[in-house]
Amino acid sequence: MNSLLKKSWWKILAVALMVYTITAGLLFEVPRLAILNETIRVLYFHVPMWFGMIILLTVSVVYSIKYLGKPSQKFDSYALEFANAGVVFGVLGLLSGALWANYTWGSPWSSDPKQNAAAIAMLIYFAYLILRNSLEDEQQRAKISAIYNIFAYATLIPLLFILPRMTDSLHPGNGGNPGFNAYDLDSKLRLVFYPAVIGWTLMGVWLTSQRIRLRAINQKLDERSEEQYVPTGQHADEPRPANNEQSAYSRSVK
Amino acid sequence: MLMSLVLLIMSSLPTLAQSSNEIAMADAFRAEGKIYIVVAVILLIFAGLVVYMVRIDRKVKRLEKELDVED
């Protein structure tokens, strides 16, 4: 998994799927539906934010569980960065949804059950990120936030999949609204929608991989600077490779 | 002789094009409300972002090498 993050084939796949999504998403024929009109194409851009968020947050909670089984900095940093990307997708989903709703529902926020549930889910994950920052000790932070992440995920699922279904939603396809339920999410829409979900999700994974790698570099630098701050004299007869490495680092910064 | 042949072919080209209007060409690119231009603009911006991300990837890789960050 770790070296998979550095492979390039899935990044190329992501770019290809995104080029297809943008081109086909704007040019392919779509069903003609009242109220929605051309905004039905938002299906290829707004809805993948939520699918992507759920996938990214699922990966995050998997690494949190792995961390509790076998504590390691790597698992903690995977859990954090996948959650970060998931939150970015969620915020973009909320904002793009509000922009779209302004022109279809007549107001950016209608307290639609899906809007409310998604907003609450975002707040729960904001709390995860704030919780992390409030803990000084590294191991304590990793452990407590891993446990919190599991609870956050356990709350996310009913918020997104159960509660909105217990009542009518304004969303297309719900409660008799025009949209893409089992009858009219036709093959034309699916042809772009599924590649769009994969493409957007992989773009999120790409950004996540960069942040994970930067965190590993940061941790390495922290370790090195701790080695360097050993009072002189204690390791007087040992060679000091730290100095050479420091100069290698400062060269790379230039 | 050769020059006159070339001239003959060239002068007959526009009439050839006019007579074959039903042959499919990229005419639609300029029609239909220029939506293709919008697609091209979005793709251009997306391509720029991808190039930027690839460059970040390279920078990260170089740092990993210099600092011996293991997998």
Side-chain angles (χ1 to χ4, degrees):
Chain A
M1 177 69 202
N2 207 341
S3 56
L4 187 63
L5 278 187
K6 296 175 186 175
K7 292 272 188 303
S8 52
W9 63 265
W10 57 267
K11 295 170 191 167
I12 296 165
L13 178 69
V15 172
L17 288 171
M18 285 308 299
V19 167
Y20 171 73
T21 300
I22 292 167
T23 314
L26 289 173
L27 296 182
F28 276 19
E29 213 181 299
V30 288
R32 289 171 179 270
L33 296 171
I35 302 168
L36 285 177
N37 309 96
E38 286 281 3
T39 73
I40 195 169
R41 296 182 193 278
V42 164
L43 172 73
Y44 310 137
F45 302 94
H46 162 76
V47 184
M49 290 298 116
W50 298 112
F51 277 64
M53 179 194 82
I54 291 159
I55 294 167
L56 294 167
L57 293 180
T58 305
V59 176
S60 168
V61 80
V62 165
Y63 277 101
S64 280
I65 293 167
K66 274 191 174 180
Y67 178 87
L68 291 177
K70 182 176 165 287
S72 90
Q73 251 182 354
K74 190 188 105 182
F75 291 157
D76 182 50
S77 120
Y78 273 51
L80 167 64
E81 292 306 345
F82 273 103
N84 261 330
V87 168
V88 169
F89 271 47
V91 169
L92 289 175
L94 276 180
L95 291 176
S96 61
L99 176 64
W100 170 84
N102 195 34
Y103 298 97
T104 47
W105 299 348
S107 117
W109 200 270
S110 316
S111 284
D112 178 73
K114 283 186 180 176
Q115 279 187 321
N116 282 343
I120 294 166
M122 282 301 96
L123 291 175
I124 289 169
Y125 275 91
F126 287 156
Y128 167 73
L129 301 174
I130 292 165
L131 173 75
R132 290 192 64 98
N133 284 335
S134 63
L135 293 167
E136 286 274 328
D137 183 72
E138 252 174 55
Q139 288 184 359
Q140 195 187 31
R141 173 173 60 212
K143 194 171 184 178
I144 291 174
S145 55
I147 295 165
Y148 180 89
N149 196 16
I150 295 169
F151 278 96
Y153 190 77
T155 324
L156 177 79
I157 298 308
L159 275 173
L160 295 182
F161 293 103
I162 300 171
L163 291 180
R165 281 180 170 76
M166 295 177 74
T167 170
D168 252 359
S169 167
L170 291 169
H171 272 82
N174 294 118
N177 288 312
F180 9 88
N181 50 36
Y183 303 102
D184 44 23
L185 178 51
D186 61 18
S187 49
K188 271 184 248 159
L189 290 175
R190 285 174 209 273
L191 207 63
V192 183
F193 176 66
Y194 293 130
V197 168
I198 300 168
W200 280 111
T201 305
L202 285 178
M203 290 304 290
V205 176
W206 190 355
L207 289 167
T208 307
S209 78
Q210 291 183 332
R211 298 209 24 141
I212 287 171
R213 292 166 75 178
L214 283 174
R215 273 184 81 80
I217 290 169
N218 239 339
Q219 272 158 6
K220 193 86 181 181
L221 285 175
D222 283 350
E223 284 165 25
R224 297 246 165 127
S225 60
E226 273 165 29
E227 281 165 26
Q228 276 202 320
Y229 289 135
V230 170
T232 44
Q234 265 189 324
H235 298 280
D237 28 8
E238 278 177 32
R240 308 266 316 266
N243 273 338
N244 297 331
E245 281 150 12
Q246 180 59 35
S247 58
Y249 169 64
S250 48
R251 249 187 286 123
S252 77
V253 165
K254 279 175 211 160
Chain B
M1 174 60 195
L2 190 74
M3 272 305 275
S4 59
L5 192 70
V6 168
L7 273 173
L8 186 75
I9 293 168
M10 278 180 72
S11 60
S12 63
L13 271 179
T15 48
L16 264 175
Q18 272 170 357
S19 63
S20 57
N21 251 348
E22 61 279 356
I23 292 174
M25 292 297 281
D27 302 320
F29 189 80
R30 286 165 201 87
E32 290 184 17
K34 301 189 182 80
I35 185 69
Y36 298 92
I37 308 303
V38 180
V39 176
V41 166
I42 297 173
L43 287 178
L44 178 87
I45 291 170
F46 180 70
L49 290 175
V50 168
V51 168
Y52 190 48
M53 278 176 81
V54 168
R55 291 185 69 106
I56 293 172
D57 264 9
R58 289 210 183 126
K59 201 163 235 173
V60 169
K61 192 180 233 169
R62 215 186 58 219
L63 279 174
E64 280 171 344
K65 261 190 194 149
E66 280 193 52
L67 291 167
D68 290 322
V69 180
E70 63 276 7
D71 275 335

